[in-house]
Each structure stands twice: as structure tokens, then as C-alpha cells.
Amino acid sequence: MSKENTFYITTPIYYPSDKLHIGHTYCTVATDSFARYKRLRGYDVMFLTGTDEHGQKIEEKAKEAGVTPQQFVDKIVEGEGGILDLWKLMNISNDRFIRTTDDYHVKSIQRIFRRMYDAGDIYKGKYSGMYCTPCESFWTESQLVDGKCPDCGRPVKYAEEEAYFFKLSKYAQPVKELLLTGEFLQPMSRVNEMIKNFIDPGLEDLCVSRTSFSWGIPVDFDPGHVVYVWVDALSNYITALGFDNDRYDDFDHYWPAVHIVGKEIVRFHSIIWPAMLMSMGLPLPKKVYGHGWLLIDGGKMSKSKGNVADPYLLAERYGVDALRFFLMRTFPFGSDGNFSNELLISCINADLANDLGNLVSRTGAMVKKYFGGTLPAEQEGDDAMDGELIAMASALHEKYAAEMDAFQPQNAIGEVFKVLSRANKYIDENAPWLLIKDETKKARLARVLYNLVETIRICAGLLVPFMPETAAEITRRMGADAIVWDDLCRFGVLPADVTVAQGDALFPRIDMDKELAALEEISAAQKAAAGAVNTEPVRPNVKIDDFAKCDLRVCKILACEKVPNSEKLLKFTLDDGSGKPRQILSGMQPFYPDPAVLVDKKVVAILNLPTRKMAGLESNGMLLSAEQGDLVRLCLVPDEIPAGAIIS
Ligand code: MSP
């Protein structure tokens, strides 16, 4: 096949530092949908995904787990329930899977490093800067946000070491020009971000080797240095095609690529990667598309938010196609979206069970009931009644293709669902259940059903990138042999006397309340199993002003004794910083059998509570304590904080 007809698409290579979550799945499913779409269009597609296995973070995690880094990544990538299993489960159609620990990649990287060195673009220097270990990124002071890593918000630390640098600054102008073409990086908002945040403030040369850890690819001409992550990681897109290695020989055929990446790594793909390619004199990628993030409760995905967003669990409960469809249907590809189980269930109920599933089963049932499963060839059209549906179904492929070509799967699916809704309305308008009652209207009824079958065939075929199995099943039921692009562009492909098959409900309706309750239980059980201490939901928000009304201060315990005739109360005499002792009673006796140990300790008290009388004594405030089950302790404050200090 000629090169004009090739399409090379990639996902980022994932860090095998932990199990992947629904956010990673989103990125891979989207890329898979684009790859499947291009195959449908007849392209010779190469779809690559893989894992980014080197670096300090992995080295540290392996150490914690007491295994070698290679053993650690092998388990996450190839082990049961690992990354390869997840992609298999999600029906990802990648043609290749690269691991940066693969021998051929390692050799290529050493050659690539030398190429840039020989081009005069790599020099030795000293790196000092603020370093974020989890992100493996150095940052300048001005890039930090509140002194923390601008990507992940975690603390950074000062670091200094001998390192090789890549002359990124040399490429600032050509990279800016590339970005300004508007074609290379999309969506356009990301272009503005890159120019404003990185290029215009001045590109700094990039640290490309490290000496402080060893889990990486050694620089062959300077042992002790390992190639620092981004040169290793970004080059995967060409080494996987055989660039600078003998494993494959597809570079000339498939390169350049379309890179689908999350927004936080757009900078690496749209600035550093083209500069590296320029240095090597190689063609630049066709496109970088920076998609948004899936968030939970408006924030980053994290384990503490529970595992109801675990792709394995969701695929098991609702089916792989439903999950894939939901991801592509619900979130605009270029922007962030808030994931929730509720959204997922409503999407399945509204779009899949109702609009699509019902249409398929109603149509199948009517063809069976009225004609025994095969339509008669004698049919009667009615332009006024049929025109709009046929026009919409016939024009669908063009609108759909425009959206898919612009990497807008959500809109492409939206176009398909406009036609499906129209088809549902068409049933009501034509009322087949009335037509059947009139013997003279049989031919008309047959045509109504034929139009529905054809519309469903086209719509299902266009959903194949998102729901491969379901689309194939619907196509089969509608009596078509295969999903072929040209056939999706034409209405009237099926013979008039088509035989339609029936089957189980494609997407049974889910009872939202019951399902959410079941998920809640699963989540609580998972948290408990993972050792979570408290699965109580967080109480409703309070305004910061309301919180500020509480006068919380550090108090030093001057004296502490049991209250006579009480089994619970202790009487605290406190220095609250005012110069006048304060008395507070607290039910701490069961937890501090020897109250004397508390003397001189500093605790937190809320002072502005109304005076209360307990066991005949006054209590002016309350001491804060922490409790878990039977364990209760006063909240203690470090000794260097003076009594009277305000807690805010
Ligand atoms: N290893 C680098 C990429 C190197 S590519 C040469 C990396 N790995 S990652 O595992 O942290 O992230 C991989 C991809 O997953 C990124 O595109 C990232 O945006 C995406 N996602 C991670 N969490 C995500 C969401 N919550 N939502 C959507 N995508 C997310 O970065």
C-alpha cells in the first residue's frame, strides 16, 4: 500500500507505577476509536501504545516493594490484571505495544542520544533547580505554583547534579512557528497555553541525562549518566517503527504520527519532541491532540476517591462497549470532564437502552411479528413521510466524518444519535401497529420497516469505532454481512426482502438508585479491604466564614485531675495565653487513667462555646480529640508553639 494511505496514531506510553485507572482508559479508548475509524475509512493504520518504564519513581517504588525495577514493571505490565490485560479487556486494537525496557528500544535510544550529541545539540553542564520527584520534572522558580510543582501540586526539592543538556533554546523560533500553523497542535487553546507559558518567557535548555539514579538507559559514551526520561519516552514513537534498530522496518512507511496525549504532557509533545526531531533532521509529527482530563468531584483521580471508577469493575458490570461508548459520548474531547457513576448509568439508560437498544429490538420484533422475520419485496414509499429520515441517514456519514476528522468523537456520536432519535419518531409517525390492521397498507408497512432497518444499519456501522462488538451484532441482526464504509454512505444497500434477526436486549435498563447503592457498598468494602479507617461520607460543606467563627487556640495544661463522683470527666486547668487560667471539663478519664501525664502538654481548645455546668463544675470551652473505635486521644500541639497561639 502506498504511503499516502497510511495513518500512524499513538497513545502516550503509560507509567507502570500503579494500576491504570479510568482516565488512562479514556485516553486509550479514544485513540483506539480514531484508529478503528481510519481503518473503516480504508487507511493502512499503525496504532501504537506502550509503557514508559524507566525513571526514579519506578526505581523508588520497586525498592519499596522489595523487588528489582524490572520485576516491578513486568508485574504491572504483563501480570494478571496488568496493563496488557486491561487493553485486551477494553478491546483495544493496537498493532504494536512498546516497552521502553525492550532491547531494541534501548539500543535505539543510545543511538538517538548520540545523533543529537553529534549534531552539537547536547552538551555537558550542571543542573540545579527545583525538582518534583513524582513527575520527574525540574522546574524553575517562576514556574512553581505556590512553591509547588505546577503539574501535580506536590512539594519540590532543590537538586543539583552533573548532566547533559539539550539545546532546546535553539529551537524556540522554529517550534513557535510550528505551533502557530494551528494544524500541528490542537485544540487551539493549547497553542496559546504553550506560547504564553513556555515559549514567550524563554525556553531553557533541557536536562537530558541524570547521574543520581540508575534505572534508565545508560549514555554509552559516558557511563554513569542515564538518559533522562523524556528523550527515552518520546523517542518510543519512532523506535517502535524501527528507527535506529533492526527490529522493525516501518519508519519510512508510517512516520509521521498523530499523537493523542493528555493536556499535562502537551508541553513535552509539542515543544520538546519537535525540537528533538528537528535536531535529528527528521520529519515532524502530523499532529498532537491534547485532550482534557477526567476528574472525580472536580479533582484529580486518586485511590482515596474509591474504586468505583475502576475500569475492570465498570466493564464487568456494564459491558466493555457500554463503558467505551460512555467515555466517548459524554466528554468533549478537548476539555476536562467530571466522571461520575450517575452519569455513566444515565448514559447507558438514555442512549443505549432507550434510543438505540429499543429501536433495534422494536424494529426486529415488528419485522418478526408482521412478516415472520423477512420483509416482502413489494414495498411502497411515501416521500412526505420518509424523506426527512432518508435524507438524514444518507447525509450522516459526511457530518460524522467531519467530526471524527477533527477529533471530536462526542460530536460524531451526537450526529448518529440525532438520526436514531429521528428514527424513533418515525415509528410513532407511521404507527406500524395501525398499518398492519389494513391489508391494503402491507406494502407501506414493509417500506416503513425497511427504512428503519436501513437507518439502524448505517447508525450501527458508524458506531463501530466506539462499540466494536455491539455494532457488529446490530449489523448482523439487520441482515448485513459486514461494516463497509461505502455502504454506510448509501441508503438502500440492503435488499428489500431483507431478513432481520432478533436477539437479547442489547443494553438492559439499569435501576439507578439500586445500582448507586450497590456501588456504594462495593466502594465501602474496597476501602475497608484496603485498610481505610473511615468510610463515613464527608459532611456537607460549611462556609469558610462559618468555620472562622470558631475560636480555636493552643492551651497548655497546667493541672489535670479526676472530677469527684464522675467516671468520665477530667478537670483541666489551662493557660490559654490570656494570663488568666481557664477551666474546661472533658470526658477523657477512661482514656487517660493517669491524668498527671497530661500536665505541661499543649492541646487545642475551642474557647467560644457557652459555659456549661457538668458535675456541678463550670466548663468554659471544649478540648479537641481524635477518635477511632475505642481509641481516643487529645489533639496535641508541638511544644514550640506557645499557649494562646491561634489555630486557623
Ligand atoms: N509516561 C508519560 C507519557 C510519556 S509519552 C512519551 C505519562 N504517563 S502517565 O501514565 O502519567 O499518563 C499517560 C496518559 O494518561 C497522559 O496522557 C495523561 O494525560 C493520561 N491521563 C492520566 N490521568 C488522566 C485522567 N484522569 N483523565 C484523562 N487522561 C489522563 O505521562
Side-chain angles (χ1 to χ4, degrees):
M1 240 184 248
S2 79
K3 189 171 162 60
E4 281 69 59
N5 200 36
T6 59
F7 182 74
Y8 178 33
I9 190 161
T10 67
T11 71
I13 47 173
Y14 298 92
Y15 290 130
S17 51
D18 223 325
K19 275 191 115 176
L20 300 188
H21 56 56
I22 194 76
H24 305 111
T25 307
Y26 173 65
C27 183
T28 304
V29 166
T31 313
D32 184 60
S33 303
F34 299 131
R36 286 176 183 272
Y37 163 68
K38 285 291 185 177
R39 287 193 200 105
L40 179 64
R41 298 298 308 268
Y43 283 82
D44 167 9
V45 172
M46 168 62 74
F47 168 19
L48 174 72
T49 186
T51 40
D52 184 0
E53 306 191 352
H54 294 121
Q56 195 169 6
K57 190 171 164 193
I58 303 253
E59 191 174 85
E60 281 169 7
K61 283 216 146 195
K63 209 166 159 195
E64 271 168 35
V67 294
T68 65
Q70 189 66 55
Q71 287 167 332
F72 182 83
V73 293
D74 282 352
K75 182 156 179 247
I76 294 192
V77 178
E78 294 176 349
E80 204 188 319
I83 294 177
L84 287 174
D85 276 359
L86 178 61
W87 297 155
K88 202 165 153 199
L89 171 72
M90 294 308 301
N91 207 354
I92 301 303
S93 63
N94 56 300
D95 300 287
R96 245 163 235 179
F97 189 94
I98 186 169
R99 300 182 58 181
T100 54
T101 51
D102 287 338
D103 278 354
Y104 72 92
H105 173 80
V106 169
K107 289 200 187 85
S108 289
I109 292 303
Q110 290 175 327
R111 292 178 188 142
I112 286 170
F113 197 86
R114 187 178 276 280
R115 272 177 192 265
M116 298 194 294
Y117 183 80
D118 289 345
D121 283 343
I122 285 185
Y123 62 92
K124 203 182 242 182
K126 198 167 207 147
Y127 197 89
S128 68
M130 303 312 288
Y131 184 67
C132 173
T133 310
C135 293
E136 299 178 294
S137 291
F138 272 104
W139 300 99
T140 59
E141 291 283 353
S142 63
Q143 287 170 332
L144 301 179
V145 175
D146 296 333
K148 302 216 168 107
C149 172
D151 270 357
C152 71
R154 279 177 275 212
V156 290
K157 61 182 182 205
Y158 180 80
E160 196 177 69
E161 66 185 44
E162 184 191 85
Y164 282 100
F165 285 83
F166 172 62
K167 285 188 186 164
L168 186 60
S169 53
K170 175 174 153 187
Y171 294 98
Q173 196 48 35
V175 169
K176 184 170 179 176
E177 282 162 19
L178 175 69
L179 291 173
L180 286 172
T181 59
E183 275 302 304
F184 171 71
L185 172 60
Q186 283 176 343
M188 200 56 194
S189 55
R190 310 247 181 253
V191 172
N192 303 334
E193 249 171 65
M194 289 303 115
I195 294 182
K196 193 169 126 247
N197 297 346
F198 300 107
I199 303 210
D200 284 350
L203 275 186
E204 288 178 28
D205 289 348
L206 181 79
C207 172
V208 289
S209 81
R210 302 292 307 276
T211 52
S212 57
F213 64 90
S214 56
W215 181 237
I217 299 176
V219 174
D220 55 358
F221 55 86
D222 195 348
H225 282 261
V226 294
V227 177
Y228 176 55
V229 286
W230 284 100
V231 169
D232 173 6
L234 289 162
S235 305
N236 91 86
Y237 301 129
I238 55 176
T239 65
L241 294 179
F243 183 79
D244 267 348
N245 66 64
D246 303 329
R247 172 74 175 268
Y248 300 109
D249 188 17
D250 301 312
F251 180 74
D252 291 334
H253 187 61
Y254 286 111
W255 185 255
V258 169
H259 299 305
I260 306 294
V261 302
K263 62 178 186 178
E264 87 288 12
I265 55 173
V266 161
R267 167 177 160 234
F268 301 100
H269 285 79
S270 67
I271 298 178
I272 297 170
W273 181 222
M276 282 172 58
L277 291 164
M278 286 174 193
S279 166
M280 290 187 273
L282 295 176
L284 304 177
K286 262 190 219 150
K287 188 174 298 293
V288 173
Y289 195 98
H291 66 74
W293 270 18
L294 290 196
L295 308 171
I296 291 191
D297 301 332
K300 275 191 126 178
M301 305 231 157
S302 75
K303 282 201 158 168
S304 62
K305 294 201 169 151
N307 288 326
V308 284
D310 171 7
Y312 280 95
L313 178 113
L314 299 175
E316 187 195 307
R317 287 185 92 74
Y318 313 115
V320 171
D321 275 1
L323 180 57
R324 289 176 58 113
F325 174 84
F326 159 73
L327 292 172
M328 296 297 95
R329 162 70 160 163
T330 310
F331 308 105
F333 195 52
S335 335
D336 289 350
N338 219 346
F339 171 89
S340 77
N341 296 97
E342 213 169 327
L343 261 187
L344 169 55
I345 298 163
S346 353
C347 168
I348 294 174
N349 282 345
D351 289 338
L352 296 181
N354 207 35
D355 288 359
L356 175 64
N358 263 349
L359 179 66
V360 172
S361 57
R362 276 171 95 190
T363 304
M366 288 190 288
V367 176
K368 172 92 183 155
K369 188 169 165 198
Y370 302 147
F371 297 107
T374 302
L375 292 178
E378 214 172 293
Q379 298 183 357
E380 185 188 319
D382 176 338
D383 286 350
M385 295 297 276
D386 303 343
E388 192 177 296
L389 179 70
I390 295 178
M392 280 178 81
S394 310
L396 176 58
H397 68 280
E398 270 173 36
K399 294 184 177 169
Y400 167 95
E403 297 294 353
M404 288 303 278
D405 291 336
F407 301 93
Q408 294 299 311
Q410 188 201 30
N411 295 346
I413 296 175
E415 293 297 337
V416 175
F417 273 73
K418 280 186 205 161
V419 179
L420 290 171
S421 295
R422 187 65 193 82
N424 276 311
K425 199 170 138 207
Y426 178 80
I427 298 185
D428 296 338
E429 288 166 352
N430 285 282
W433 48 91
L434 297 180
L435 294 177
I436 187 69
K437 293 191 174 147
D438 183 343
E439 194 50 39
T440 65
K441 301 233 167 99
K442 269 220 150 157
R444 175 63 195 145
L445 174 61
R447 175 52 63 90
V448 167
L449 295 180
Y450 178 82
N451 287 342
L452 288 170
V453 172
E454 265 298 273
T455 305
I456 293 172
R457 177 188 64 79
I458 292 175
C459 290
L462 293 175
L463 291 176
V464 76
F466 316 107
M467 300 196 288
E469 301 288 331
T470 307
E473 169 63 10
I474 299 177
T475 304
R476 187 191 66 77
R477 288 191 197 178
M478 294 303 116
D481 301 332
I483 298 170
V484 179
W485 179 256
D486 284 347
D487 290 348
L488 302 178
C489 304
R490 286 188 300 135
F491 196 93
V493 167
L494 291 169
D497 59 348
V498 60
T499 298
V500 174
Q502 285 183 281
D504 293 341
L506 294 166
F507 299 98
R509 240 192 120 69
I510 301 169
D511 181 322
M512 172 77 84
D513 291 342
K514 271 199 198 147
E515 181 61 13
L516 288 178
L519 290 172
E520 193 68 46
E521 255 178 46
I522 293 175
S523 164
Q526 281 175 337
K527 281 186 192 163
V533 167
N534 190 351
T535 54
E536 279 285 320
V538 171
R539 289 177 224 166
N541 285 351
V542 291
K543 295 220 170 72
I544 188 80
D545 294 345
D546 288 334
F547 171 72
K549 288 179 193 156
C550 300
D551 195 333
L552 294 160
R553 298 192 196 186
V554 173
C555 292
K556 183 172 173 181
I557 300 175
L558 302 173
C560 179
E561 56 193 81
K562 293 181 180 174
V563 172
N565 302 325
S566 166
E567 282 176 11
K568 286 199 171 159
L569 293 176
L570 288 180
K571 183 175 87 174
F572 290 83
T573 309
L574 303 158
D575 171 7
D576 63 8
S578 66
K580 229 175 82 199
R582 172 180 291 264
Q583 176 170 300
I584 291 182
L585 304 182
S586 167
M588 287 288 134
Q589 212 185 106
F591 314 110
Y592 291 99
D594 177 12
V597 298
L598 290 171
V599 173
D600 282 335
K601 295 266 184 309
K602 292 191 174 135
V603 290
V604 180
I606 170 162
L607 302 187
N608 55 339
L609 290 175
T611 300
R612 266 180 79 187
K613 269 209 157 169
M614 290 188 261
L617 297 170
E618 256 186 25
S619 180
N620 293 301
M622 192 177 86
L623 299 182
L624 299 197
S625 62
E627 63 173 272
Q628 176 58 38
D630 291 333
L631 185 65
V632 180
R633 290 287 179 269
L634 287 168
C635 296
L636 298 182
V637 175
D639 205 35
E640 61 270 26
I641 306 283
I646 303 280
I647 313 264
S648 60

